[in-house]
Amino acid sequence: MTVSPQSGISFPNGMETRLYINNEFVPSRSGQKFDVINPATEEVTASVFEADGADVDAAVQAAKAAFPSWSALGGFQRASYFYKLANLVESCNFDLAKLEAVSMGKPVGKYTEGTNMARFIRYVAGKAADVKGESSLQTAGFVNLTFRQPYGVCAAIIPWNAPVTEFFFKVTPAVLAGNTIVLKSSEKAPLTSLLLARLCQEAQIPAGVINVLSGMGPTCGAAMASHMDIRKISFTGSARTGRAIKQAALESNLKHVALELGGKNPLIIFDDADLSKAANAAASSILYNSGQVCIASTRVYVHASILERFCDLFTSSLVKQAANPIKGNDPLSPFTVRGPQADKAQFTSIMKYITDSRKAGYKILTGGDREGERGFYIQPTIILNPEESSAVMREEIFGPVVCVRSFQTEEEVISLANETEYGLYASTFTRDLSRAMRMARSLEAGIVGLNCTSPMMTLDMPFGGVKQSGDGRENGQHALDDWTELKTVYIGL
Ligand code: ADP
């Protein structure tokens, strides 16, 4: 079966499994491989070459060699490669969908990452010539300037939950700003990054500008985080790994570290809200990507006077939205609306939160079990009134599990919502405009939804968290600036 005329890659036999270094596909130096497991069938999808420190070093050297000529190009020239790349990515949306379906279980029928990212690439490419400094005439006898210049060799480490999106959120602004890059994909979903590498090759992006490695975190990822020639690293994933990367940066060359970490996001529903809209939004939020997104609304606080009515609406909306229109739940079927959890480790960890909640005697409004005997499927689950201090209320579960609690006053719910080390996405439903604005100001989060919640996000607005949800912003006006350093230039007249 041919994947696409553009990529010329056949699927599944012709899947690329090698590393992409200096515009060539090469096996890892050790020859070592690891298996990617299909979470719907628990069978091996592919055996992929595993990079270690020596491969990281080779990729960094290629990126270093490419940097002088790539950074010397103008923004318009760099952008021209990316317009070509955007067209290729757009035409390969379905190929990307299929690879993701058999790696981390995202259903093909709902897959739009390729088309969305084509839009994003064009948007950022349109800004590539707008990376500018400032000028000052405020000192007598001087004209003073700032330049915005690229860091040099940069790195990106991405997770498995939205691999194509994460690839481009990092690579596009980094490389358009004039940096060269080494990217490591997640060991759970490395295949789309390799197809994207093939598309970069087809777009004739010069050798060494973009290098793509597959490998494990503690070896390949750690070697990147501590590499002395990498000047900036951007990471999306767990808080635990974010901490390890910051530590490695600290102990090596103090490289700049941008972090996009987890969330335990509050969704607050007041008694004047449009309840059915709020219930539908809460259900969509926790079902999105089978609950495997850092922005999922996992703590729902409902005003005590409407708790029962909301719970009824929420439960029925969740069940309805989660149902597949025809029998079967194969992610490769265009009819499947909900995929499995990405792998066995995720499945086991999520199931433990559910069984512990049962043991604690918490009421489960719907779900509460695995689904079927084969594949890592879990029923979407609503837990009512778990203790504020319980693990399900405090920790990021990264699965289709949501907690509902009630509150009495605005002041109380703000305090409850903010009582977490996370601060990514907070949202509220109310028809009272003043209250909505008070909430937007008081909620400790990088993103606030008013009468909407996640997955609402747009490519032209900044994305990122406060507190331990991260450091730095992606997307929006400033995406390119974040991949540059400021230089001050004094000119004596
Ligand atoms: P998850 O457990 O959900 O996969 P992680 O934060 O562990 O989330 O993984 C996100 C990315 O970080 C993956 O690409 C993974 O390989 C990488 N990673 C894991 N541990 C480390 C580490 N110690 N140093 C650098 N990267 C790591």
Side-chain angles (χ1 to χ4, degrees):
M1 184 186 347
T2 298
V3 161
S4 88
Q6 282 78 14
S7 68
I9 295 167
S10 62
F11 171 82
N13 296 331
M15 273 177 203
E16 185 54 67
T17 60
R18 293 168 295 175
L19 315 176
Y20 183 65
I21 299 176
N22 212 21
N23 273 25
E24 281 179 14
F25 286 92
V26 292
S28 55
R29 274 145 185 78
S30 67
Q32 188 100 354
K33 287 182 165 189
F34 64 93
D35 287 341
V36 177
I37 307 291
N38 181 337
T41 62
E42 303 180 44
E43 286 160 6
V44 174
T45 286
S47 197
V48 175
F49 281 101
E50 179 182 338
D52 62 15
D55 302 295
V56 169
D57 214 37
V60 170
Q61 292 319 315
K64 202 171 169 181
F67 178 71
S69 52
W70 181 250
S71 57
L73 293 180
F76 290 112
Q77 288 164 298
R78 283 197 286 268
S80 64
Y81 293 99
F82 277 79
Y83 289 120
K84 261 191 260 175
L85 181 60
N87 293 342
L88 291 167
V89 172
E90 190 163 50
S91 66
C92 284
N93 185 66
F94 192 50
D95 316 339
L96 293 164
K98 284 190 284 185
L99 289 174
E100 227 68 284
V102 295
S103 302
M104 52 69 71
K106 196 172 286 196
V108 294
K110 298 210 129 193
Y111 193 87
T112 53
E113 284 189 54
T115 40
N116 279 344
M117 284 305 103
R119 249 178 246 150
F120 178 68
I121 295 167
R122 293 182 190 116
Y123 166 69
V124 184
K127 293 181 172 300
D130 275 339
V131 178
K132 289 175 181 153
E134 61 224 311
S135 63
S136 167
L137 299 176
Q138 300 309 320
T139 306
F142 285 83
V143 171
N144 300 327
L145 306 172
T146 59
F147 293 165
R148 281 204 170 270
Q149 290 183 296
Y151 285 90
V153 179
C154 293
I157 297 181
I158 61 172
W160 47 265
N161 61 335
V164 170
T165 301
E166 292 299 339
F167 183 104
F168 286 115
F169 275 6
K170 299 194 189 307
V171 167
T172 316
V175 171
L176 278 165
N179 301 286
T180 55
I181 200 161
V182 178
L183 173 137
K184 186 188 95 60
S185 57
S186 165
E187 60 279 15
K188 296 179 191 172
L191 298 173
T192 46
S193 288
L194 295 171
L195 174 52
L196 296 176
R198 177 60 60 88
L199 301 183
C200 290
Q201 192 184 46
E202 270 187 54
Q204 295 177 317
I205 294 175
V209 171
I210 297 171
N211 305 275
V212 179
L213 304 177
S214 318
M216 300 295 153
T219 48
C220 180
M224 291 163 74
S226 59
H227 203 289
M228 294 300 288
D229 287 333
I230 291 175
R231 295 295 164 192
K232 171 170 172 162
I233 185 163
S234 176
F235 168 74
T236 298
S238 64
R240 175 183 35 84
T241 303
R243 216 176 274 276
I245 287 173
K246 211 154 192 174
Q247 188 69 31
L250 186 77
E251 286 166 9
S252 54
N253 63 348
L254 278 175
K255 57 179 68 62
H256 288 252
V257 180
L259 298 174
E260 192 59 64
L261 308 176
K264 191 71 192 175
N265 308 297
L267 163 57
I268 298 157
I269 298 157
F270 285 95
D271 51 1
D272 65 344
D274 179 334
L275 271 201
S276 76
K277 187 174 169 189
N280 287 337
S284 306
S285 181
I286 197 64
L287 288 173
Y288 185 68
N289 211 24
S290 299
Q292 305 169 125
V293 274
C294 50
I295 53 177
S297 296
T298 49
R299 292 186 293 146
V300 180
Y301 290 102
V302 185
H303 191 267
S305 65
I306 52 163
L307 180 66
E308 211 176 302
R309 205 146 58 88
F310 175 81
C311 284
D312 288 346
L313 287 169
F314 185 24
T315 307
S316 66
S317 181
L318 192 72
V319 170
K320 201 164 144 200
Q321 288 190 47
N324 288 313
I326 62 164
K327 203 169 167 346
N329 54 15
D330 179 1
L332 284 170
S333 156
F335 301 107
T336 298
V337 296
R338 193 164 49 83
Q341 310 314 127
D343 73 349
K344 191 168 188 174
Q346 282 298 123
F347 174 85
T348 309
S349 147
I350 298 162
M351 285 308 297
K352 183 168 183 332
Y353 282 105
I354 296 176
T355 43
D356 286 353
S357 296
R358 271 196 198 291
K359 276 189 210 147
Y362 300 143
K363 187 168 180 189
I364 295 189
L365 294 181
T366 182
D369 234 319
R370 75 174 298 170
E371 199 169 280
E373 293 304 309
R374 184 166 171 257
F376 305 124
Y377 292 87
I378 295 181
Q379 297 170 345
T381 300
I382 304 176
I383 303 172
L384 183 64
N385 276 330
E387 296 285 330
E388 261 310 317
S389 59
S390 62
V392 276
M393 281 296 287
R394 315 302 318 165
E395 296 169 16
E396 187 178 45
I397 300 173
F398 229 63
V401 180
V402 52
C403 302
V404 178
R405 284 181 60 86
S406 63
F407 70 92
Q408 297 283 355
T409 67
E410 183 179 320
E411 196 185 15
E412 175 200 1
V413 80
I414 289 171
S415 151
L416 290 168
N418 289 341
E419 190 54 46
T420 167
E421 275 302 303
Y422 288 116
L424 188 53
Y425 199 126
S427 34
T428 189
F429 281 74
T430 174
R431 288 190 169 102
D432 179 338
L433 177 64
S434 303
R435 177 157 59 195
M437 294 316 296
R438 285 196 301 273
M439 297 297 287
R441 193 180 54 189
S442 306
L443 290 167
E444 294 168 1
I447 307 163
V448 171
L450 301 179
N451 293 317
C452 66
T453 187
S454 62
M456 170 61 196
M457 61 176 280
T458 66
L459 299 174
D460 62 327
M461 298 300 279
F463 181 92
V466 300
K467 294 157 83 177
Q468 290 192 34
S469 282
D471 191 359
R473 292 289 178 274
E474 292 184 320
N475 302 359
Q477 293 291 331
H478 307 292
L480 281 151
D481 284 354
D482 277 359
W483 288 92
T484 62
E485 293 194 286
L486 276 175
K487 180 185 282 174
T488 303
V489 182
Y490 296 123
I491 307 168
L493 299 177

